[in-house]
């Protein structure tokens, strides 16, 4: 018989399993089981806690996404909390934009600054009383103390450490001030911060992804500031206070915070609070293993949105390069990401993101959306707006803005285009505006343009409204044979020219099906006229 520590498959918290010959025979102790499963029963609360010191980028979106999926998988709540305590680094508009981008991505928070919720406010700058009250508790219980060291002194400490080749750290001098000295300085209104007293001998904790961990923080750093001179808390204090009062059950965040977790656990201990479970997500990197760049604004969610990338494609590519699923496959929508998510499959290696594959992800998701009637309606609106913007006065026939026309085009082009933007590019302009071509272009292809144009007009009249790709493809072969002095290839080139003014593009049959009989006739009448006059 042996004892194993295993994650609870449902809520991901550790529990003891007694096994015999590889089979679980008893789970216990009861308290551990109760504790882990009680977190799942309606109580999973996870949060995404960005600082609005910049706009949402792919790394942030990925952290938000894993939290969202986790919450939805276990029937919990996904909370957006904005950590805006570093007032000097706030970027105007970033807070609103982060929430807009989560909504756009289809992973909206259940509770947030905009949506509100029972345990708000969700903006740290509106929770200052809570941090001050907690800091006061820590000072009163002796776990924190006032520090009056000047910035000059701290600077000097830093320089000395660097000179002797050591890592700079605060020497904890103000730990040793007597109570009357502290009172006197406070009474004089001396500028001060509050520092948390780091104790030696940190307990290990089990990270849901990285396993057992322990960082003896007191060995490597001085006592950290928890309340700054401006009265604002630092990240470390505000973060744990909010996780506690917002009843966060699981903290899923970037692995850069793994080394801070022991410090956070010391604070929970000092306050007598039960900590949440922690899971650190490995970093998202470029495919060559370098840091994701933000330099050209290329990984900001707004720029993907602007470039016509579908949110679902972005979510799919970020989860495909990482872990947390039994298998990776392209084309997963958010509901499938939730159902296929398996947190025990999150690995510790960095996720390598290959953005060159994004058009392929977009192509597949665009196809899925075109096939979904509801989503297709919003794509139609989107295409219509883009056509109106790009072709404004050039549109000769309002029919091209009609829902049925755009829907037909989308269904014919699905699987071929990677973005709706392609549809308004010059290659597809023939769909929206009538093409122009010259009699010289025509003459270069055939000596009998009138004959061919009449054959097409006759064919379209016979076929009536019912045009199908397969039938047309056959009809065009037969038609080409009726052209005495022109080869099949040239006939097709002529048809393509008359329909689109171009030499390349989708098949001639497809062009015809998209345009419909009335418009085909108009374009071939034009060919007739041009040939008569030349
Ligand atoms: N505000 C921190 C950040 O932007 C949050 C870290 C955490 O999730 O605890 O990375």
């Amino acid at each position: 018989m042996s004892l194993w520590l295993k994650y609870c498959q449902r809520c991901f918290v550790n529990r003891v399993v007694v096994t015999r010959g590889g089979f679980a025979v008893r789970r216990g102790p009861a308290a551990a089981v109760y504790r882990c499963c009680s977190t799942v029963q309606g109580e999973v609360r996870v949060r995404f806690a960005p600082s609005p010191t910049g706009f949402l980028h792919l790394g942030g979106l990925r952290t938000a996404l894993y939290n969202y999926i986790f919450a939805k998988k276990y029937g919990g709540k996904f909370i957006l909390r904005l950590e805006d305590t570093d007032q000097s680094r706030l970027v105007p508009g970033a807070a609103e934009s982060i929430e807009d981008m989560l909504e756009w991505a289809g992973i909206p928070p259940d509770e947030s600054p905009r949506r509100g919720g029972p345990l708000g406010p969700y903006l740290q700058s509106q929770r200052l009383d809570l941090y001050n009250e907690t800091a006061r508790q820590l000072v009163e219980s002796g776990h924190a103390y006032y520090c009056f060291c000047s910035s000059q002194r701290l600077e000097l400490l830093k320089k000395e450490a660097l000179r002797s080749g050591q890592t700079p750290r605060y020497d904890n001098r103000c730990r040793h001030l007597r109570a009357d000295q502290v009172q006197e300085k406070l009474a004089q209104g001396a500028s001060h911060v509050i520092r948390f007293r780091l104790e030696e001998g940190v307990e290990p904790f089990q990270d849901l992804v990285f396993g057992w961990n322990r960082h003896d923080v007191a060995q490597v750093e001085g006592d950290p500031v928890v309340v700054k001179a401006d009265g604002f808390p630092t990240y470390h204090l505000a973060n744990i206070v909010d996780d506690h009062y917002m009843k966060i059950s699981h903290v899923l965040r970037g692995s850069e915070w793994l080394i801070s977790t022991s410090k956070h656990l010391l604070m929970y201990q000092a306050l007598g609070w039960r900590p949440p479970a922690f899971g650190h997500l490995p970093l998202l990197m470029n495919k060559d293993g370098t840091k994701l760049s933000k330099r050209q604004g290329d990984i900001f969610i707004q720029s993907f949105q602007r470039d016509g990338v579908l949110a679902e494609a972005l979510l799919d590519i970020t989860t495909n390069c990482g872990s947390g699923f039994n298998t990776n496959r392209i084309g997963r929508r958010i509901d499938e990401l939730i159902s296929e998510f398996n947190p025990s499959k999150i690995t510790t290696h960095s996720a390598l993101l290959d953005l060159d594959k994004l058009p392929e992800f977009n192509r597949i998701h665009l196809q899925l959306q075109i096939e979904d009637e509801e989503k297709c309606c919003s794509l139609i609106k989107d295409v219509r707006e883009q056509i109106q913007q790009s072709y404004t006065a050039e549109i000769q026939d309002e029919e091209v803005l009609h829902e049925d026309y755009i829907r037909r085009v989308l269904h014919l082009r699905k699987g071929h285009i990677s973005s709706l933007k392609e549809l308004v590019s010059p290659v597809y302009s023939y769909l929206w505006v009538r093409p122009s071509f010259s009699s010289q272009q025509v003459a270069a292809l055939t000596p009998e343009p009138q004959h061919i144009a009449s054959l097409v007009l006759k064919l379209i009249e016979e076929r009536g409204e019912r045009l199908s790709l397969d039938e047309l493809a056959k009809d065009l072969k037969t038609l080409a044979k009726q052209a005495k002095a022109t080869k099949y290839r040239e006939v097709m080139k002529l048809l393509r020219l008359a329909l689109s003014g171009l030499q390349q593009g989708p098949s001639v049959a497809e062009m015809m099906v998209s345009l419909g009989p009335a418009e085909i006739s108009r374009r071939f009448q034009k060919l007739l006229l041009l040939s008569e006059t030349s």
Side-chain angles (χ1 to χ4, degrees):
M1 197 150 77
S2 57
L3 268 185
W4 290 89
L5 270 177
K6 284 204 162 180
Y7 292 132
C8 168
Q9 290 295 307
R10 294 178 65 209
C11 71
F12 217 30
V13 169
N14 226 18
R15 68 182 172 188
V16 180
V17 178
V18 184
T19 62
R20 188 180 289 129
F23 295 98
V25 290
R26 189 162 59 86
R27 289 171 184 157
V33 174
Y34 169 76
R35 190 192 138 175
C36 87
C37 287
S38 67
T39 2
V40 167
Q41 285 157 11
E43 269 301 273
V44 163
R45 290 179 59 83
V46 292
R47 84 313 189 262
F48 172 49
S51 304
T53 50
F55 292 88
L56 188 64
H57 56 77
L58 269 180
L61 181 77
R62 173 165 161 275
T63 306
L65 175 61
Y66 276 84
N67 275 283
Y68 178 88
I69 300 176
F70 190 86
K72 300 299 152 182
K73 177 115 197 156
Y74 300 111
K77 293 275 189 279
F78 169 53
I79 292 132
L80 170 68
R81 178 175 77 224
L82 293 175
E83 303 205 327
D84 61 344
T85 55
D86 190 350
Q87 297 280 306
S88 62
R89 291 179 53 226
L90 296 184
V91 168
E96 295 72 25
S97 167
I98 291 173
E99 197 158 354
D100 285 346
M101 288 301 105
L102 293 183
E103 300 273 350
W104 172 78
I107 51 170
D110 297 298
E111 299 168 26
S112 72
R114 194 179 290 164
R115 290 183 180 231
L119 300 175
Y122 297 88
L123 209 54
Q124 286 189 329
S125 54
Q126 294 174 3
R127 300 168 66 85
L128 298 181
D129 289 350
L130 210 51
Y131 311 128
N132 285 330
E133 170 53 26
T134 312
R136 196 189 54 76
Q137 270 179 43
L138 286 171
V139 171
E140 269 175 17
S141 61
H143 290 100
Y145 58 90
Y146 292 98
C147 166
F148 301 93
C149 290
S150 64
S151 46
Q152 290 89 323
R153 173 166 196 273
L154 297 177
E155 200 47 45
L156 214 65
L157 277 181
K158 202 164 153 186
K159 276 194 189 140
E160 271 169 25
L162 289 174
R163 206 173 21 234
S164 54
Q166 285 173 336
T167 318
R169 54 188 280 186
Y170 177 58
D171 60 358
N172 302 344
R173 181 162 95 163
C174 290
R175 261 192 191 197
H176 312 291
L177 287 176
R178 289 188 320 269
D180 59 311
Q181 290 173 310
V182 172
Q183 285 317 319
E184 195 186 315
K185 285 182 186 286
L186 288 179
Q188 286 164 359
S191 166
H192 61 271
V193 299
I194 299 179
R195 288 184 186 269
F196 179 70
R197 188 186 283 264
L198 285 181
E199 301 295 351
E200 305 252 343
V202 166
E203 291 286 319
F205 69 97
Q206 194 169 32
D207 186 83
L208 302 176
V209 176
F210 284 79
W212 287 105
N213 254 274
R214 183 176 170 278
H215 293 274
D216 211 340
V217 268
Q219 297 281 344
V220 287
E221 53 180 291
D223 291 336
V225 173
V226 286
V227 177
K228 295 177 281 187
D230 62 4
F232 274 74
T234 56
Y235 156 73
H236 300 292
L237 178 69
N239 188 265
I240 65 133
V241 169
D242 288 343
D243 285 345
H244 173 71
Y245 286 108
M246 291 182 180
K247 296 192 176 14
I248 299 302
S249 60
H250 298 75
V251 168
L252 305 179
R253 60 184 172 193
S255 58
E256 67 272 29
W257 298 107
L258 185 61
I259 51 165
S260 302
T261 307
S262 286
K263 191 188 308 179
H264 296 169
L265 287 168
L266 283 175
M267 292 189 192
Y268 279 103
Q269 203 177 13
L271 288 159
W273 294 343
R274 194 175 107 182
F278 289 92
H280 288 87
L281 302 168
L283 291 179
L284 189 60
M285 312 200 99
N286 293 318
K287 69 174 172 194
D288 59 2
T290 55
K291 204 166 171 257
L292 266 194
S293 95
K294 290 184 224 170
R295 269 165 308 160
Q296 300 98 15
D298 50 357
I299 57 155
F300 287 104
I301 307 307
Q302 275 170 321
S303 37
F304 291 111
Q305 182 197 31
R306 216 176 15 240
D307 293 345
V309 173
L310 296 172
E312 287 187 329
L314 216 45
L315 301 185
D316 196 13
I317 198 169
T318 24
T319 46
N320 253 284
C321 70
S323 44
F325 297 86
N326 294 335
T327 51
N328 274 346
R329 70 179 176 88
I330 185 165
R332 265 191 290 236
R333 286 176 300 211
I334 188 70
D335 50 330
E336 292 161 317
L337 288 175
I338 296 167
S339 64
E340 292 178 30
F341 180 56
N342 178 355
S344 67
K345 293 280 177 190
I346 302 178
T347 60
T348 55
H349 345 284
S350 310
L352 303 183
L353 180 68
D354 185 357
L355 279 178
D356 294 339
K357 292 195 182 133
L358 190 54
E360 178 60 1
F361 277 81
N362 218 43
R363 185 182 68 78
I364 288 171
H365 281 276
L366 189 54
Q367 172 157 11
L368 291 171
Q369 292 199 1
I370 293 171
E371 281 160 3
D372 175 324
E373 185 44 32
E374 205 178 302
K375 297 225 166 96
C376 190
C377 286
S378 86
L379 295 178
I380 291 172
K381 277 197 202 122
D382 201 351
V383 173
R384 185 184 292 134
E385 272 169 32
Q386 294 193 40
I387 305 165
Q388 280 168 324
Q389 270 169 23
S390 310
Y391 292 101
T392 9
E394 293 162 75
I395 296 175
Q396 297 103 332
D397 186 354
E398 291 289 311
E399 174 68 20
V400 297
L401 299 174
H402 199 277
E403 192 178 326
D404 292 341
Y405 179 78
I406 302 177
R407 179 179 289 107
R408 190 163 74 220
V409 168
L410 286 175
H411 276 277
L412 285 164
R413 282 286 84 199
K414 70 184 179 203
H416 298 284
I417 48 167
S418 305
S419 152
L420 290 185
K421 277 196 185 294
E422 280 178 40
L423 286 180
V424 286
S425 69
V427 187
Y428 291 108
S429 62
Y430 72 91
L431 289 166
W432 324 113
V433 291
R434 294 193 179 125
S436 55
F437 51 92
S438 66
S439 45
Q440 286 87 334
Q441 283 177 288
V442 173
L445 293 170
T446 177
E448 50 181 349
Q450 284 185 305
H451 174 52
I452 299 174
S454 324
L455 289 174
V456 176
L457 288 167
K458 190 159 147 268
L459 170 70
I460 295 307
E461 204 173 309
E462 279 166 18
R463 283 277 166 231
E465 282 301 312
R466 292 179 300 107
L467 292 184
S468 87
L469 273 182
D470 294 343
E471 276 177 359
L472 265 180
K474 271 191 236 144
D475 288 343
L476 292 175
K477 282 205 175 104
T478 322
L479 182 146
K481 284 188 192 133
Q482 293 172 265
K484 304 275 172 324
T486 321
K487 289 200 191 106
Y488 176 77
R489 253 171 74 92
E490 268 64 44
V491 173
M492 287 304 135
K493 280 188 185 170
L494 178 72
L495 301 197
R496 185 182 291 286
L497 184 71
L499 290 166
S500 67
L502 302 170
Q503 288 166 9
Q504 279 166 354
S507 71
V508 172
E510 187 191 313
M511 285 182 165
M512 287 180 144
V513 177
S514 342
L515 292 168
E519 186 59 27
I520 302 171
S521 301
R522 227 166 266 130
R523 295 187 187 191
F524 280 91
Q525 297 285 2
K526 185 176 160 196
L527 175 63
L528 267 184
L529 264 172
L530 189 75
S531 318
E532 273 166 18
T533 50
S534 58

